[in-house]
Amino acid sequence: MVQKSKLAGRHVKGNLVLNYVKIIRSSPNLPWGDYLTADDKSKIEQMVLPASWYPMGFFQRAGMAVFKLVGRESLPLARALGKSQADELVADYPAMIGKGRPLETLKRYVQIQHNFYSFEAFDVGFPSEREAVVNIYSKPTDPGTDAYIEQICGCIERLIEMSGYPEAVFELTEESSENKVTHSLSVKW
């Protein structure tokens, strides 16, 4: 297996790709070729290994294809998918949830997410004991960023809810530069 430090470019772990691959495989009659390359289709036909690294481009194209063809470009549906992914994540990492401690939950979430990316995709700051800001980084040219951000926001909303704060307030802002886009999700409880 290739080590994270030896990867060139941006990559994600297979466990991030698995849901997209399952959705694509379950609907073989959809025009996936409109969004996926021949190499992408080959990867989808193979066994996807959760601990292996896959190119970020493949992950983005698969996500975009699912968003367009299955999700019908619905951002609320992308957010709902993120909430269901939070449930799956907690099933795999039950200690991630700090009951009554959303700050700890978010720290653990970001720590786990760092293992899934070969680059810095997230960080979290804590302006106060009742507030966190999760920064999600992308490139201006990344396809499907809006849907991806909605998924992450849905996941974080669900994690905060599971921490015991279903009435938390969320605000998403965006800041762009020539090389980087930062989406900041402010969470107050």
PDB file of all heavy atoms in Angstrom, residues 82-83 85-112 154-165:
ATOM      1  N   GLY A  82     -25.265  13.472   3.538  1.00  0.00           N
ATOM      2  CA  GLY A  82     -24.245  13.740   4.547  1.00  0.00           C
ATOM      3  C   GLY A  82     -24.688  13.315   5.937  1.00  0.00           C
ATOM      4  O   GLY A  82     -23.907  12.767   6.710  1.00  0.00           O
ATOM      5  N   LYS A  83     -25.962  13.531   6.246  1.00  0.00           N
ATOM      6  CA  LYS A  83     -26.481  13.119   7.560  1.00  0.00           C
ATOM      7  C   LYS A  83     -26.451  11.600   7.696  1.00  0.00           C
ATOM      8  O   LYS A  83     -26.088  11.074   8.747  1.00  0.00           O
ATOM      9  CB  LYS A  83     -27.890  13.657   7.760  1.00  0.00           C
ATOM     10  CG  LYS A  83     -27.911  15.154   7.982  1.00  0.00           C
ATOM     11  CD  LYS A  83     -29.315  15.686   8.193  1.00  0.00           C
ATOM     12  CE  LYS A  83     -29.242  17.189   8.429  1.00  0.00           C
ATOM     13  NZ  LYS A  83     -30.551  17.771   8.746  1.00  0.00           N
ATOM     14  N   GLN A  85     -24.397   9.662   6.146  1.00  0.00           N
ATOM     15  CA  GLN A  85     -22.984   9.296   6.244  1.00  0.00           C
ATOM     16  C   GLN A  85     -22.470   9.483   7.667  1.00  0.00           C
ATOM     17  O   GLN A  85     -21.600   8.735   8.121  1.00  0.00           O
ATOM     18  CB  GLN A  85     -22.154  10.106   5.243  1.00  0.00           C
ATOM     19  CG  GLN A  85     -22.398   9.685   3.812  1.00  0.00           C
ATOM     20  CD  GLN A  85     -21.755  10.606   2.804  1.00  0.00           C
ATOM     21  OE1 GLN A  85     -21.533  11.784   3.061  1.00  0.00           O
ATOM     22  NE2 GLN A  85     -21.484  10.083   1.616  1.00  0.00           N
ATOM     23  N   ALA A  86     -23.009  10.467   8.390  1.00  0.00           N
ATOM     24  CA  ALA A  86     -22.620  10.657   9.792  1.00  0.00           C
ATOM     25  C   ALA A  86     -23.022   9.432  10.610  1.00  0.00           C
ATOM     26  O   ALA A  86     -22.248   8.961  11.449  1.00  0.00           O
ATOM     27  CB  ALA A  86     -23.280  11.907  10.365  1.00  0.00           C
ATOM     28  N   ASP A  87     -24.210   8.911  10.345  1.00  0.00           N
ATOM     29  CA  ASP A  87     -24.655   7.713  11.067  1.00  0.00           C
ATOM     30  C   ASP A  87     -23.720   6.539  10.787  1.00  0.00           C
ATOM     31  O   ASP A  87     -23.365   5.782  11.697  1.00  0.00           O
ATOM     32  CB  ASP A  87     -26.094   7.356  10.681  1.00  0.00           C
ATOM     33  CG  ASP A  87     -27.108   8.376  11.198  1.00  0.00           C
ATOM     34  OD1 ASP A  87     -26.859   8.987  12.257  1.00  0.00           O
ATOM     35  OD2 ASP A  87     -28.150   8.556  10.539  1.00  0.00           O
ATOM     36  N   GLU A  88     -23.304   6.378   9.530  1.00  0.00           N
ATOM     37  CA  GLU A  88     -22.368   5.306   9.164  1.00  0.00           C
ATOM     38  C   GLU A  88     -21.009   5.518   9.835  1.00  0.00           C
ATOM     39  O   GLU A  88     -20.392   4.570  10.316  1.00  0.00           O
ATOM     40  CB  GLU A  88     -22.194   5.253   7.646  1.00  0.00           C
ATOM     41  CG  GLU A  88     -23.422   4.811   6.893  1.00  0.00           C
ATOM     42  CD  GLU A  88     -23.249   4.921   5.379  1.00  0.00           C
ATOM     43  OE1 GLU A  88     -22.102   5.034   4.893  1.00  0.00           O
ATOM     44  OE2 GLU A  88     -24.277   4.897   4.680  1.00  0.00           O
ATOM     45  N   LEU A  89     -20.561   6.758   9.865  1.00  0.00           N
ATOM     46  CA  LEU A  89     -19.270   7.082  10.467  1.00  0.00           C
ATOM     47  C   LEU A  89     -19.282   6.767  11.964  1.00  0.00           C
ATOM     48  O   LEU A  89     -18.329   6.188  12.489  1.00  0.00           O
ATOM     49  CB  LEU A  89     -18.956   8.563  10.232  1.00  0.00           C
ATOM     50  CG  LEU A  89     -17.552   9.058  10.461  1.00  0.00           C
ATOM     51  CD1 LEU A  89     -16.542   8.308   9.605  1.00  0.00           C
ATOM     52  CD2 LEU A  89     -17.472  10.548  10.160  1.00  0.00           C
ATOM     53  N   VAL A  90     -20.376   7.110  12.630  1.00  0.00           N
ATOM     54  CA  VAL A  90     -20.481   6.840  14.063  1.00  0.00           C
ATOM     55  C   VAL A  90     -20.585   5.338  14.320  1.00  0.00           C
ATOM     56  O   VAL A  90     -20.063   4.844  15.321  1.00  0.00           O
ATOM     57  CB  VAL A  90     -21.668   7.617  14.677  1.00  0.00           C
ATOM     58  CG1 VAL A  90     -21.951   7.168  16.101  1.00  0.00           C
ATOM     59  CG2 VAL A  90     -21.373   9.111  14.637  1.00  0.00           C
ATOM     60  N   ALA A  91     -21.206   4.599  13.407  1.00  0.00           N
ATOM     61  CA  ALA A  91     -21.246   3.143  13.557  1.00  0.00           C
ATOM     62  C   ALA A  91     -19.828   2.570  13.510  1.00  0.00           C
ATOM     63  O   ALA A  91     -19.502   1.640  14.244  1.00  0.00           O
ATOM     64  CB  ALA A  91     -22.118   2.513  12.477  1.00  0.00           C
ATOM     65  N   ASP A  92     -18.968   3.145  12.652  1.00  0.00           N
ATOM     66  CA  ASP A  92     -17.577   2.697  12.550  1.00  0.00           C
ATOM     67  C   ASP A  92     -16.694   3.248  13.674  1.00  0.00           C
ATOM     68  O   ASP A  92     -15.719   2.613  14.063  1.00  0.00           O
ATOM     69  CB  ASP A  92     -16.975   3.118  11.204  1.00  0.00           C
ATOM     70  CG  ASP A  92     -17.571   2.364  10.026  1.00  0.00           C
ATOM     71  OD1 ASP A  92     -18.171   1.289  10.235  1.00  0.00           O
ATOM     72  OD2 ASP A  92     -17.445   2.865   8.887  1.00  0.00           O
ATOM     73  N   TYR A  93     -17.009   4.453  14.151  1.00  0.00           N
ATOM     74  CA  TYR A  93     -16.209   5.130  15.174  1.00  0.00           C
ATOM     75  C   TYR A  93     -17.128   5.637  16.295  1.00  0.00           C
ATOM     76  O   TYR A  93     -17.322   6.850  16.445  1.00  0.00           O
ATOM     77  CB  TYR A  93     -15.446   6.321  14.574  1.00  0.00           C
ATOM     78  CG  TYR A  93     -14.521   5.958  13.449  1.00  0.00           C
ATOM     79  CD1 TYR A  93     -14.938   6.047  12.120  1.00  0.00           C
ATOM     80  CD2 TYR A  93     -13.219   5.527  13.701  1.00  0.00           C
ATOM     81  CE1 TYR A  93     -14.081   5.715  11.079  1.00  0.00           C
ATOM     82  CE2 TYR A  93     -12.355   5.207  12.669  1.00  0.00           C
ATOM     83  CZ  TYR A  93     -12.807   5.295  11.356  1.00  0.00           C
ATOM     84  OH  TYR A  93     -11.964   4.982  10.327  1.00  0.00           O
ATOM     85  N   PRO A  94     -17.701   4.747  17.095  1.00  0.00           N
ATOM     86  CA  PRO A  94     -18.674   5.183  18.113  1.00  0.00           C
ATOM     87  C   PRO A  94     -18.092   6.145  19.148  1.00  0.00           C
ATOM     88  O   PRO A  94     -18.820   6.972  19.691  1.00  0.00           O
ATOM     89  CB  PRO A  94     -19.146   3.879  18.754  1.00  0.00           C
ATOM     90  CG  PRO A  94     -18.170   2.838  18.349  1.00  0.00           C
ATOM     91  CD  PRO A  94     -17.507   3.302  17.093  1.00  0.00           C
ATOM     92  N   ALA A  95     -16.810   6.076  19.410  1.00  0.00           N
ATOM     93  CA  ALA A  95     -16.197   6.968  20.397  1.00  0.00           C
ATOM     94  C   ALA A  95     -16.072   8.403  19.872  1.00  0.00           C
ATOM     95  O   ALA A  95     -15.694   9.301  20.625  1.00  0.00           O
ATOM     96  CB  ALA A  95     -14.822   6.441  20.806  1.00  0.00           C
ATOM     97  N   MET A  96     -16.412   8.621  18.610  1.00  0.00           N
ATOM     98  CA  MET A  96     -16.329   9.963  18.049  1.00  0.00           C
ATOM     99  C   MET A  96     -17.320  10.908  18.729  1.00  0.00           C
ATOM    100  O   MET A  96     -17.037  12.089  18.895  1.00  0.00           O
ATOM    101  CB  MET A  96     -16.594   9.938  16.541  1.00  0.00           C
ATOM    102  CG  MET A  96     -16.501  11.298  15.909  1.00  0.00           C
ATOM    103  SD  MET A  96     -16.559  11.325  14.120  1.00  0.00           S
ATOM    104  CE  MET A  96     -17.842  10.197  13.741  1.00  0.00           C
ATOM    105  N   ILE A  97     -18.452  10.407  19.140  1.00  0.00           N
ATOM    106  CA  ILE A  97     -19.485  11.252  19.744  1.00  0.00           C
ATOM    107  C   ILE A  97     -19.171  11.490  21.219  1.00  0.00           C
ATOM    108  O   ILE A  97     -19.052  10.548  21.993  1.00  0.00           O
ATOM    109  CB  ILE A  97     -20.882  10.620  19.592  1.00  0.00           C
ATOM    110  CG1 ILE A  97     -21.249  10.470  18.116  1.00  0.00           C
ATOM    111  CG2 ILE A  97     -21.941  11.443  20.331  1.00  0.00           C
ATOM    112  CD1 ILE A  97     -21.345  11.777  17.353  1.00  0.00           C
ATOM    113  N   GLY A  98     -19.059  12.752  21.567  1.00  0.00           N
ATOM    114  CA  GLY A  98     -18.910  13.141  22.966  1.00  0.00           C
ATOM    115  C   GLY A  98     -20.261  13.655  23.438  1.00  0.00           C
ATOM    116  O   GLY A  98     -20.637  14.777  23.104  1.00  0.00           O
ATOM    117  N   LYS A  99     -21.011  12.846  24.135  1.00  0.00           N
ATOM    118  CA  LYS A  99     -22.337  13.258  24.609  1.00  0.00           C
ATOM    119  C   LYS A  99     -22.213  14.524  25.462  1.00  0.00           C
ATOM    120  O   LYS A  99     -21.472  14.546  26.435  1.00  0.00           O
ATOM    121  CB  LYS A  99     -23.003  12.143  25.419  1.00  0.00           C
ATOM    122  CG  LYS A  99     -23.389  10.942  24.590  1.00  0.00           C
ATOM    123  CD  LYS A  99     -24.557  11.258  23.688  1.00  0.00           C
ATOM    124  CE  LYS A  99     -25.006  10.007  22.952  1.00  0.00           C
ATOM    125  NZ  LYS A  99     -25.990  10.277  21.963  1.00  0.00           N
ATOM    126  N   GLY A 100     -22.927  15.563  25.038  1.00  0.00           N
ATOM    127  CA  GLY A 100     -22.868  16.836  25.747  1.00  0.00           C
ATOM    128  C   GLY A 100     -21.587  17.607  25.495  1.00  0.00           C
ATOM    129  O   GLY A 100     -21.368  18.655  26.098  1.00  0.00           O
ATOM    130  N   ARG A 101     -20.732  17.101  24.573  1.00  0.00           N
ATOM    131  CA  ARG A 101     -19.442  17.739  24.290  1.00  0.00           C
ATOM    132  C   ARG A 101     -19.232  17.860  22.772  1.00  0.00           C
ATOM    133  O   ARG A 101     -18.428  17.152  22.180  1.00  0.00           O
ATOM    134  CB  ARG A 101     -18.320  16.935  24.934  1.00  0.00           C
ATOM    135  CG  ARG A 101     -18.425  16.879  26.457  1.00  0.00           C
ATOM    136  CD  ARG A 101     -17.224  16.250  27.151  1.00  0.00           C
ATOM    137  NE  ARG A 101     -16.475  15.263  26.410  1.00  0.00           N
ATOM    138  CZ  ARG A 101     -16.620  13.944  26.544  1.00  0.00           C
ATOM    139  NH1 ARG A 101     -17.506  13.444  27.354  1.00  0.00           N
ATOM    140  NH2 ARG A 101     -15.865  13.127  25.853  1.00  0.00           N
ATOM    141  N   PRO A 102     -19.964  18.779  22.149  1.00  0.00           N
ATOM    142  CA  PRO A 102     -19.830  18.917  20.696  1.00  0.00           C
ATOM    143  C   PRO A 102     -18.435  19.318  20.236  1.00  0.00           C
ATOM    144  O   PRO A 102     -18.024  18.942  19.145  1.00  0.00           O
ATOM    145  CB  PRO A 102     -20.876  19.970  20.324  1.00  0.00           C
ATOM    146  CG  PRO A 102     -21.185  20.671  21.598  1.00  0.00           C
ATOM    147  CD  PRO A 102     -20.933  19.711  22.707  1.00  0.00           C
ATOM    148  N   LEU A 103     -17.705  20.084  21.077  1.00  0.00           N
ATOM    149  CA  LEU A 103     -16.334  20.451  20.697  1.00  0.00           C
ATOM    150  C   LEU A 103     -15.476  19.204  20.520  1.00  0.00           C
ATOM    151  O   LEU A 103     -14.724  19.085  19.549  1.00  0.00           O
ATOM    152  CB  LEU A 103     -15.701  21.363  21.754  1.00  0.00           C
ATOM    153  CG  LEU A 103     -16.250  22.774  21.879  1.00  0.00           C
ATOM    154  CD1 LEU A 103     -15.563  23.506  23.028  1.00  0.00           C
ATOM    155  CD2 LEU A 103     -16.077  23.545  20.602  1.00  0.00           C
ATOM    156  N   GLU A 104     -15.590  18.269  21.459  1.00  0.00           N
ATOM    157  CA  GLU A 104     -14.827  17.024  21.362  1.00  0.00           C
ATOM    158  C   GLU A 104     -15.260  16.215  20.143  1.00  0.00           C
ATOM    159  O   GLU A 104     -14.424  15.618  19.455  1.00  0.00           O
ATOM    160  CB  GLU A 104     -14.986  16.195  22.634  1.00  0.00           C
ATOM    161  CG  GLU A 104     -14.311  16.800  23.845  1.00  0.00           C
ATOM    162  CD  GLU A 104     -12.826  17.043  23.633  1.00  0.00           C
ATOM    163  OE1 GLU A 104     -12.132  16.152  23.099  1.00  0.00           O
ATOM    164  OE2 GLU A 104     -12.354  18.141  23.984  1.00  0.00           O
ATOM    165  N   THR A 105     -16.556  16.201  19.873  1.00  0.00           N
ATOM    166  CA  THR A 105     -17.065  15.473  18.708  1.00  0.00           C
ATOM    167  C   THR A 105     -16.457  16.028  17.427  1.00  0.00           C
ATOM    168  O   THR A 105     -15.990  15.268  16.578  1.00  0.00           O
ATOM    169  CB  THR A 105     -18.602  15.551  18.659  1.00  0.00           C
ATOM    170  OG1 THR A 105     -19.132  14.916  19.830  1.00  0.00           O
ATOM    171  CG2 THR A 105     -19.156  14.875  17.420  1.00  0.00           C
ATOM    172  N   LEU A 106     -16.443  17.346  17.292  1.00  0.00           N
ATOM    173  CA  LEU A 106     -15.883  17.954  16.077  1.00  0.00           C
ATOM    174  C   LEU A 106     -14.378  17.720  15.967  1.00  0.00           C
ATOM    175  O   LEU A 106     -13.870  17.474  14.874  1.00  0.00           O
ATOM    176  CB  LEU A 106     -16.189  19.448  16.031  1.00  0.00           C
ATOM    177  CG  LEU A 106     -17.628  19.798  15.697  1.00  0.00           C
ATOM    178  CD1 LEU A 106     -17.842  21.300  15.767  1.00  0.00           C
ATOM    179  CD2 LEU A 106     -18.015  19.264  14.326  1.00  0.00           C
ATOM    180  N   LYS A 107     -13.670  17.795  17.081  1.00  0.00           N
ATOM    181  CA  LYS A 107     -12.227  17.518  17.047  1.00  0.00           C
ATOM    182  C   LYS A 107     -11.973  16.089  16.555  1.00  0.00           C
ATOM    183  O   LYS A 107     -11.093  15.863  15.727  1.00  0.00           O
ATOM    184  CB  LYS A 107     -11.613  17.689  18.434  1.00  0.00           C
ATOM    185  CG  LYS A 107     -11.433  19.111  18.864  1.00  0.00           C
ATOM    186  CD  LYS A 107     -10.831  19.164  20.270  1.00  0.00           C
ATOM    187  CE  LYS A 107     -10.715  20.581  20.778  1.00  0.00           C
ATOM    188  NZ  LYS A 107     -10.199  20.630  22.168  1.00  0.00           N
ATOM    189  N   ARG A 108     -12.744  15.150  17.074  1.00  0.00           N
ATOM    190  CA  ARG A 108     -12.572  13.751  16.666  1.00  0.00           C
ATOM    191  C   ARG A 108     -12.954  13.556  15.204  1.00  0.00           C
ATOM    192  O   ARG A 108     -12.288  12.810  14.473  1.00  0.00           O
ATOM    193  CB  ARG A 108     -13.411  12.846  17.562  1.00  0.00           C
ATOM    194  CG  ARG A 108     -12.901  12.801  18.983  1.00  0.00           C
ATOM    195  CD  ARG A 108     -13.832  12.020  19.879  1.00  0.00           C
ATOM    196  NE  ARG A 108     -13.408  12.131  21.269  1.00  0.00           N
ATOM    197  CZ  ARG A 108     -14.218  12.043  22.292  1.00  0.00           C
ATOM    198  NH1 ARG A 108     -15.509  11.811  22.109  1.00  0.00           N
ATOM    199  NH2 ARG A 108     -13.773  12.163  23.526  1.00  0.00           N
ATOM    200  N   TYR A 109     -14.016  14.209  14.764  1.00  0.00           N
ATOM    201  CA  TYR A 109     -14.441  14.118  13.366  1.00  0.00           C
ATOM    202  C   TYR A 109     -13.324  14.587  12.431  1.00  0.00           C
ATOM    203  O   TYR A 109     -12.966  13.901  11.474  1.00  0.00           O
ATOM    204  CB  TYR A 109     -15.710  14.947  13.146  1.00  0.00           C
ATOM    205  CG  TYR A 109     -16.078  15.134  11.694  1.00  0.00           C
ATOM    206  CD1 TYR A 109     -16.580  14.076  10.948  1.00  0.00           C
ATOM    207  CD2 TYR A 109     -15.916  16.361  11.061  1.00  0.00           C
ATOM    208  CE1 TYR A 109     -16.911  14.247   9.607  1.00  0.00           C
ATOM    209  CE2 TYR A 109     -16.247  16.541   9.733  1.00  0.00           C
ATOM    210  CZ  TYR A 109     -16.744  15.477   9.009  1.00  0.00           C
ATOM    211  OH  TYR A 109     -17.059  15.640   7.689  1.00  0.00           O
ATOM    212  N   VAL A 110     -12.780  15.758  12.724  1.00  0.00           N
ATOM    213  CA  VAL A 110     -11.722  16.296  11.861  1.00  0.00           C
ATOM    214  C   VAL A 110     -10.487  15.402  11.918  1.00  0.00           C
ATOM    215  O   VAL A 110      -9.853  15.144  10.889  1.00  0.00           O
ATOM    216  CB  VAL A 110     -11.408  17.761  12.234  1.00  0.00           C
ATOM    217  CG1 VAL A 110     -10.166  18.260  11.504  1.00  0.00           C
ATOM    218  CG2 VAL A 110     -12.595  18.651  11.915  1.00  0.00           C
ATOM    219  N   GLN A 111     -10.166  14.880  13.086  1.00  0.00           N
ATOM    220  CA  GLN A 111      -9.019  13.976  13.212  1.00  0.00           C
ATOM    221  C   GLN A 111      -9.220  12.725  12.347  1.00  0.00           C
ATOM    222  O   GLN A 111      -8.300  12.285  11.646  1.00  0.00           O
ATOM    223  CB  GLN A 111      -8.834  13.580  14.669  1.00  0.00           C
ATOM    224  CG  GLN A 111      -7.625  12.730  14.918  1.00  0.00           C
ATOM    225  CD  GLN A 111      -7.472  12.391  16.396  1.00  0.00           C
ATOM    226  OE1 GLN A 111      -8.439  12.418  17.164  1.00  0.00           O
ATOM    227  NE2 GLN A 111      -6.263  12.081  16.796  1.00  0.00           N
ATOM    228  N   ILE A 112     -10.404  12.161  12.371  1.00  0.00           N
ATOM    229  CA  ILE A 112     -10.706  10.988  11.547  1.00  0.00           C
ATOM    230  C   ILE A 112     -10.642  11.360  10.074  1.00  0.00           C
ATOM    231  O   ILE A 112     -10.066  10.634   9.257  1.00  0.00           O
ATOM    232  CB  ILE A 112     -12.073  10.392  11.928  1.00  0.00           C
ATOM    233  CG1 ILE A 112     -11.978   9.727  13.309  1.00  0.00           C
ATOM    234  CG2 ILE A 112     -12.558   9.397  10.881  1.00  0.00           C
ATOM    235  CD1 ILE A 112     -13.308   9.378  13.927  1.00  0.00           C
ATOM    236  N   GLY A 154     -24.188  18.514   6.205  1.00  0.00           N
ATOM    237  CA  GLY A 154     -25.173  17.573   6.728  1.00  0.00           C
ATOM    238  C   GLY A 154     -24.559  16.616   7.733  1.00  0.00           C
ATOM    239  O   GLY A 154     -25.154  16.317   8.779  1.00  0.00           O
ATOM    240  N   CYS A 155     -23.365  16.143   7.437  1.00  0.00           N
ATOM    241  CA  CYS A 155     -22.658  15.239   8.344  1.00  0.00           C
ATOM    242  C   CYS A 155     -22.377  15.931   9.678  1.00  0.00           C
ATOM    243  O   CYS A 155     -22.652  15.375  10.751  1.00  0.00           O
ATOM    244  CB  CYS A 155     -21.363  14.765   7.689  1.00  0.00           C
ATOM    245  SG  CYS A 155     -20.453  13.547   8.644  1.00  0.00           S
ATOM    246  N   ILE A 156     -21.882  17.145   9.625  1.00  0.00           N
ATOM    247  CA  ILE A 156     -21.561  17.880  10.847  1.00  0.00           C
ATOM    248  C   ILE A 156     -22.831  18.199  11.640  1.00  0.00           C
ATOM    249  O   ILE A 156     -22.858  18.068  12.860  1.00  0.00           O
ATOM    250  CB  ILE A 156     -20.740  19.141  10.517  1.00  0.00           C
ATOM    251  CG1 ILE A 156     -19.350  18.722  10.019  1.00  0.00           C
ATOM    252  CG2 ILE A 156     -20.641  20.073  11.729  1.00  0.00           C
ATOM    253  CD1 ILE A 156     -18.520  19.843   9.440  1.00  0.00           C
ATOM    254  N   GLU A 157     -23.897  18.587  10.947  1.00  0.00           N
ATOM    255  CA  GLU A 157     -25.164  18.850  11.636  1.00  0.00           C
ATOM    256  C   GLU A 157     -25.623  17.619  12.415  1.00  0.00           C
ATOM    257  O   GLU A 157     -26.030  17.713  13.570  1.00  0.00           O
ATOM    258  CB  GLU A 157     -26.251  19.235  10.633  1.00  0.00           C
ATOM    259  CG  GLU A 157     -26.169  20.648  10.140  1.00  0.00           C
ATOM    260  CD  GLU A 157     -27.285  20.984   9.170  1.00  0.00           C
ATOM    261  OE1 GLU A 157     -28.363  20.341   9.203  1.00  0.00           O
ATOM    262  OE2 GLU A 157     -27.082  21.906   8.361  1.00  0.00           O
ATOM    263  N   ARG A 158     -25.542  16.467  11.773  1.00  0.00           N
ATOM    264  CA  ARG A 158     -25.979  15.234  12.423  1.00  0.00           C
ATOM    265  C   ARG A 158     -25.073  14.881  13.610  1.00  0.00           C
ATOM    266  O   ARG A 158     -25.551  14.448  14.664  1.00  0.00           O
ATOM    267  CB  ARG A 158     -26.007  14.092  11.406  1.00  0.00           C
ATOM    268  CG  ARG A 158     -26.426  12.773  11.968  1.00  0.00           C
ATOM    269  CD  ARG A 158     -27.910  12.735  12.306  1.00  0.00           C
ATOM    270  NE  ARG A 158     -28.244  11.414  12.800  1.00  0.00           N
ATOM    271  CZ  ARG A 158     -28.772  11.178  13.999  1.00  0.00           C
ATOM    272  NH1 ARG A 158     -29.104  12.176  14.802  1.00  0.00           N
ATOM    273  NH2 ARG A 158     -29.010   9.938  14.377  1.00  0.00           N
ATOM    274  N   LEU A 159     -23.775  15.091  13.464  1.00  0.00           N
ATOM    275  CA  LEU A 159     -22.850  14.802  14.557  1.00  0.00           C
ATOM    276  C   LEU A 159     -23.138  15.697  15.773  1.00  0.00           C
ATOM    277  O   LEU A 159     -23.123  15.228  16.909  1.00  0.00           O
ATOM    278  CB  LEU A 159     -21.401  14.976  14.110  1.00  0.00           C
ATOM    279  CG  LEU A 159     -20.896  13.979  13.075  1.00  0.00           C
ATOM    280  CD1 LEU A 159     -19.503  14.366  12.596  1.00  0.00           C
ATOM    281  CD2 LEU A 159     -20.914  12.557  13.606  1.00  0.00           C
ATOM    282  N   ILE A 160     -23.404  16.968  15.530  1.00  0.00           N
ATOM    283  CA  ILE A 160     -23.723  17.891  16.618  1.00  0.00           C
ATOM    284  C   ILE A 160     -25.039  17.471  17.274  1.00  0.00           C
ATOM    285  O   ILE A 160     -25.174  17.493  18.501  1.00  0.00           O
ATOM    286  CB  ILE A 160     -23.781  19.345  16.108  1.00  0.00           C
ATOM    287  CG1 ILE A 160     -22.406  19.795  15.597  1.00  0.00           C
ATOM    288  CG2 ILE A 160     -24.301  20.289  17.192  1.00  0.00           C
ATOM    289  CD1 ILE A 160     -21.305  19.785  16.615  1.00  0.00           C
ATOM    290  N   GLU A 161     -25.994  17.074  16.455  1.00  0.00           N
ATOM    291  CA  GLU A 161     -27.268  16.589  16.985  1.00  0.00           C
ATOM    292  C   GLU A 161     -27.048  15.361  17.881  1.00  0.00           C
ATOM    293  O   GLU A 161     -27.600  15.272  18.983  1.00  0.00           O
ATOM    294  CB  GLU A 161     -28.191  16.226  15.817  1.00  0.00           C
ATOM    295  CG  GLU A 161     -29.539  15.697  16.204  1.00  0.00           C
ATOM    296  CD  GLU A 161     -30.349  15.315  14.982  1.00  0.00           C
ATOM    297  OE1 GLU A 161     -30.480  16.146  14.059  1.00  0.00           O
ATOM    298  OE2 GLU A 161     -30.866  14.173  14.947  1.00  0.00           O
ATOM    299  N   MET A 162     -26.222  14.415  17.423  1.00  0.00           N
ATOM    300  CA  MET A 162     -25.938  13.221  18.213  1.00  0.00           C
ATOM    301  C   MET A 162     -25.161  13.551  19.485  1.00  0.00           C
ATOM    302  O   MET A 162     -25.198  12.795  20.443  1.00  0.00           O
ATOM    303  CB  MET A 162     -25.184  12.179  17.369  1.00  0.00           C
ATOM    304  CG  MET A 162     -26.064  11.506  16.344  1.00  0.00           C
ATOM    305  SD  MET A 162     -25.257  10.100  15.542  1.00  0.00           S
ATOM    306  CE  MET A 162     -24.340  10.918  14.259  1.00  0.00           C
ATOM    307  N   SER A 163     -24.480  14.691  19.491  1.00  0.00           N
ATOM    308  CA  SER A 163     -23.761  15.131  20.687  1.00  0.00           C
ATOM    309  C   SER A 163     -24.706  15.718  21.729  1.00  0.00           C
ATOM    310  O   SER A 163     -24.282  16.020  22.833  1.00  0.00           O
ATOM    311  CB  SER A 163     -22.719  16.189  20.319  1.00  0.00           C
ATOM    312  OG  SER A 163     -21.722  15.653  19.514  1.00  0.00           O
ATOM    313  N   GLY A 164     -25.965  15.915  21.330  1.00  0.00           N
ATOM    314  CA  GLY A 164     -26.951  16.427  22.278  1.00  0.00           C
ATOM    315  C   GLY A 164     -27.416  17.844  22.015  1.00  0.00           C
ATOM    316  O   GLY A 164     -28.049  18.457  22.870  1.00  0.00           O
ATOM    317  N   TYR A 165     -27.135  18.375  20.833  1.00  0.00           N
ATOM    318  CA  TYR A 165     -27.512  19.753  20.509  1.00  0.00           C
ATOM    319  C   TYR A 165     -28.297  19.821  19.190  1.00  0.00           C
ATOM    320  O   TYR A 165     -27.815  20.336  18.191  1.00  0.00           O
ATOM    321  CB  TYR A 165     -26.269  20.639  20.447  1.00  0.00           C
ATOM    322  CG  TYR A 165     -25.659  20.855  21.804  1.00  0.00           C
ATOM    323  CD1 TYR A 165     -24.745  19.951  22.317  1.00  0.00           C
ATOM    324  CD2 TYR A 165     -26.043  21.934  22.584  1.00  0.00           C
ATOM    325  CE1 TYR A 165     -24.212  20.120  23.584  1.00  0.00           C
ATOM    326  CE2 TYR A 165     -25.511  22.116  23.857  1.00  0.00           C
ATOM    327  CZ  TYR A 165     -24.602  21.207  24.350  1.00  0.00           C
ATOM    328  OH  TYR A 165     -24.082  21.374  25.607  1.00  0.00           O
TER     329      TYR A 165
END
